[in-house]
Amino acid sequence: MIGLRHTAPIDITHQAQQLGIALWDTIPEGATHILQWNTDRLELLSIHDKAIVCVDFVKGAAAHRRQFGGGRGQPVAKAIGIKGEYIPRILDATAGLGGDAYVLASLGCSMTLIERTPIAYLLLSDGLKRAAADGQTAEIAARMTLHFGDGRAWLTERAQGLGPLAAQEFDVVYLDPMFPEPGKRAKSKKSMAAFQTLIGGDEDADALLAPARLIAKKRIIVKRPRLAPLMAGARPDFVFDGESTRFDGYLPTGGIQKENN
Ligand SMILES: C[S@@+](CC[C@H](N)C(=O)[O-])C[C@H]1O[C@@H](n2cnc3c(N)ncnc32)[C@H](O)[C@@H]1O
């Protein structure tokens, strides 16, 4: 059971209410997680092990990665196919806490993000607001647009030329759903493991691939734990292997443009 502590700023409280998140003055019995405002940020506290998750693109790991992260040489950038003047427009249909999207936006990609879990959406939108207000990260945050919704529905509508993304073109669709079996997920910190448990496995993830292949102009990239089975059992057209992660690449079936990156 999860709720927002009633001390958060009014805009966040309002957003949380619209997303159906409970508002708590006192923490009820049986609560497992609390969303709470801490000085200048929204964070998720796991009551059981006190692990905290928040999205911070300005300091800490994100700042380090911005400075020393390996630029276009890092596996996610290679998989996406950033090369020379070509900087793709990307639809990330499983945004999560926006880590991958931020890396790609910091390499110049324009990122449209969709997240369906209210908690992840709230944490990410709070992180993006702080990034937009900081001189070091404002330009990167300006390349990231977050929407609340179901990626499959948005992709399907877009494939029919309908919905909120009807007027947008995407070179790449990026998919990184939560892998259902915890034992096979990539290793993560205690705080992230608590977050993953809260979100659960995305059992319906296979359904994202077909509509993604209809709308991407160049490629679809699916991030998986290295030994995980293929999404929807579909054999990729190319693969980038990392240490614990694999990026499976698929070509579009929309028949609009051929792969050339
Ligand atoms: C493994 S996380 C993504 C992590 C992200 N790539 C990052 O770097 O932070 C998977 C996220 O995808 C979201 N998700 C899964 N299926 C989705 C769907 N059909 N529509 C929108 N979001 C979805 C889950 O709620 C979860 O937050």
Side-chain angles (χ1 to χ4, degrees):
M1 186 164 51
I2 178 159
L4 173 74
R5 213 175 242 175
H6 208 169
T7 50
I10 188 73
D11 57 328
I12 294 203
T13 305
H14 186 63
Q15 224 181 353
Q17 276 179 314
Q18 283 185 325
L19 293 167
I21 294 173
L23 269 192
W24 293 337
D25 287 319
T26 51
I27 300 164
E29 209 168 302
T32 56
H33 296 78
I34 311 166
L35 274 170
Q36 57 187 13
W37 188 251
N38 185 353
T39 316
D40 65 343
R41 66 194 50 210
L42 187 67
E43 55 184 32
L44 175 72
L45 169 71
S46 160
I47 294 175
H48 166 64
D49 58 10
K50 306 284 179 263
I52 284 180
V53 175
C54 81
V55 175
D56 189 349
F57 295 126
V58 180
K59 298 191 211 101
H64 187 267
R65 200 159 177 195
R66 206 167 50 239
Q67 254 187 307
F68 307 107
R72 293 174 168 207
Q74 53 198 309
V76 67
K78 283 196 194 157
I80 290 292
I82 304 171
K83 242 189 224 166
E85 299 288 293
Y86 170 66
I87 309 222
R89 301 157 293 180
I90 303 174
L91 173 57
D92 179 346
T94 57
L97 297 181
D100 294 327
Y102 181 77
V103 167
L104 294 167
S106 67
L107 296 173
C109 301
S110 72
M111 302 295 306
T112 301
L113 293 90
I114 306 174
E115 173 55 50
R116 69 175 170 187
T117 310
I119 308 297
Y121 172 82
L122 272 182
L123 290 169
L124 178 52
S125 75
D126 175 62
L128 284 173
K129 260 185 249 163
R130 270 178 288 112
D134 187 283
Q136 290 178 82
T137 47
E139 196 193 324
I140 301 171
R143 288 195 278 272
M144 299 170 73
T145 306
L146 173 63
H147 301 280
F148 178 72
D150 182 74
R152 182 190 176 191
W154 283 53
L155 288 168
T156 305
E157 275 195 313
R158 174 63 190 80
Q160 296 162 346
L162 303 169
L165 304 179
Q168 277 179 259
E169 302 282 8
F170 300 101
D171 301 303
V172 179
V173 175
Y174 184 73
L175 303 172
D176 175 22
M178 203 73 87
F179 198 68
E181 295 168 58
K184 286 196 183 158
R185 285 182 200 146
K187 285 208 169 54
S188 48
K189 287 200 307 196
K190 183 173 119 180
S191 55
M192 278 318 285
F195 174 72
Q196 288 169 350
T197 307
L198 178 70
I199 301 278
D202 293 317
E203 307 281 347
D204 56 348
D206 282 356
L208 290 165
L209 187 57
R213 293 185 86 168
L214 286 174
I215 71 164
K217 286 186 165 292
K218 305 262 190 199
R219 57 177 69 174
I220 299 87
I221 297 296
V222 179
K223 182 179 178 184
R224 310 290 272 169
R226 197 170 65 85
L227 299 177
L230 300 170
M231 179 176 267
R235 189 137 58 86
D237 295 293
F238 54 95
V239 177
F240 286 84
D241 265 321
E243 227 169 81
S244 59
T245 306
R246 195 180 80 221
F247 295 96
D248 292 341
Y250 297 88
L251 299 183
T253 49
I256 309 162
Q257 274 182 26
K258 284 192 77 174
E259 165 76 0
N260 58 7
N261 278 287

